[in-house]
Amino acid sequence: MTVAAPARTAALRLAAAVALLALASTAAQARTVYRCVRDGTVSLATAPEPGSRCEPKQFDDNAVKLPNLWGELGVINGNLYERQQDGKTVYSTRNLPGSVRVMGFSVETPPGEPAHPGLGKVGKPQLDKFAVQFRSAAKANGLDDAWLRAIAHAESGFDAKAVSSKGAQGVMQLMPETAKEYGVSDPFSSDESIKAGARHLKSLLRRYNNDVTLATAAYNAGIGTVTRYRGVPPYRETQEYIAKVEALVQRYQLALGTRKPALRAAQ
């Protein structure tokens, strides 16, 4: 397929966004690139991808420095593809059905501060793990029991002695300063950890007007990072962490018989 001049210009612009370089343009113009996540992988596209969870990101064509839309560090190698969608030509770094390769790219992303991915793996609900503590802490703080358990599951896999590479500790993987803020004397006490983690989640929900996705992102990457990016930070670790928690919430809601929509705070 031959790419027409205007279409190729658009393709080159997306490739430039992919490369996270300043775009060569004679007039400043805001451009939208969709950051799409599917099965733990990230792609960039000029339109939302069917089957992916996509978030629009705007940037100026004349910006000196573009944001790291990938959410991971190091050298990124990939291809830019063209396809027809809803009667329009769109471009994406994901090879979807009907796509034709336009060009390849190899770029190095700018420095960043990726969040921790969590030590727990998605698996079957473990209702026997600290059941009394989770019920009590969730009720005391007005939280969805399934969400609180999902966070613990994603964070530590319910290992009360877990310590992450970043220094987070215990069942709820609290950082030392957070544990101190909530009066935790023993970070490896499951009771203290769960109570403090629940109080912290309640505080995050308050801060983000009951937006559970933002609260989950802040629990993973920190309040300062969410503030800086004005939303979910573009870190692969955080994107995957949120997806993991969403999957676990649904499984715990089913196991607990609550059947509430995924990632909704208890009212």
Side-chain angles (χ1 to χ4, degrees):
M1 178 184 295
T2 300
V3 181
R8 188 168 185 81
T9 298
L12 287 169
R13 290 188 184 281
L14 179 58
V18 168
L20 305 174
L21 299 174
L23 300 178
S25 173
T26 57
Q29 178 181 354
R31 188 167 302 277
T32 299
V33 170
Y34 291 86
R35 185 180 190 280
C36 301
V37 180
R38 177 194 297 186
D39 299 327
T41 62
V42 175
S43 63
L44 304 183
T46 58
E49 294 177 351
S52 297
R53 186 176 70 254
C54 299
E55 182 180 2
K57 300 288 184 179
Q58 286 196 334
F59 58 88
D60 193 314
D61 276 359
N62 284 338
V64 175
K65 181 181 179 181
L66 295 179
N68 181 357
L69 300 180
W70 288 104
E72 60 181 289
L73 308 180
V75 177
I76 304 293
N77 297 298
N79 294 291
L80 183 67
Y81 299 93
E82 174 188 309
R83 72 179 190 282
Q84 296 299 308
Q85 180 174 309
D86 299 327
K88 297 180 180 179
T89 299
V90 299
Y91 296 90
S92 172
T93 60
R94 194 185 301 279
N95 187 9
L96 295 175
S99 296
V100 175
R101 182 180 180 276
V102 175
M103 63 185 74
F105 62 84
S106 179
V107 298
E108 186 171 359
T109 66
E113 46 185 26
H116 71 96
L119 302 176
K121 306 298 182 183
V122 175
K124 294 181 180 179
Q126 301 181 50
L127 298 183
D128 60 325
K129 303 293 186 179
F130 314 115
V132 174
Q133 290 96 322
F134 281 116
R135 280 197 301 269
S136 176
K139 184 177 181 180
N141 292 280
L143 302 179
D144 181 356
D145 190 353
W147 181 45
L148 181 58
R149 292 173 190 254
I151 293 288
H153 188 139
E155 285 286 343
S156 70
F158 302 107
D159 182 357
K161 302 301 181 183
V163 179
S164 77
S165 60
K166 293 183 178 293
Q169 301 172 319
V171 174
M172 300 302 293
Q173 286 292 277
L174 301 174
M175 294 298 289
E177 58 270 24
T178 302
K180 182 178 180 181
E181 178 183 352
Y182 291 101
V184 174
S185 59
D186 179 5
F188 300 111
S189 162
S190 58
D191 188 60
E192 287 193 62
S193 183
I194 292 169
K195 285 180 178 178
R199 289 175 61 199
H200 185 45
L201 288 170
K202 179 181 179 179
S203 176
L204 292 175
L205 282 180
R206 228 186 253 120
R207 174 182 289 270
Y208 299 115
N209 297 315
N210 279 337
D211 187 322
V212 184
T213 298
L214 284 183
T216 302
Y219 196 94
N220 172 256
I223 293 171
T225 303
V226 172
T227 300
R228 182 161 59 255
Y229 286 100
R230 299 180 182 180
V232 175
Y235 298 158
R236 177 181 61 182
E237 290 87 347
T238 302
Q239 299 284 343
E240 292 179 352
Y241 178 87
I242 291 173
K244 177 164 59 174
V245 171
E246 286 177 344
L248 286 168
V249 166
Q250 294 182 45
R251 295 184 185 192
Y252 275 100
Q253 287 173 341
L254 183 62
L256 292 167
T258 56
R259 296 182 178 274
K260 296 176 183 176
L263 283 184
R264 287 292 185 272
Q267 301 297 317

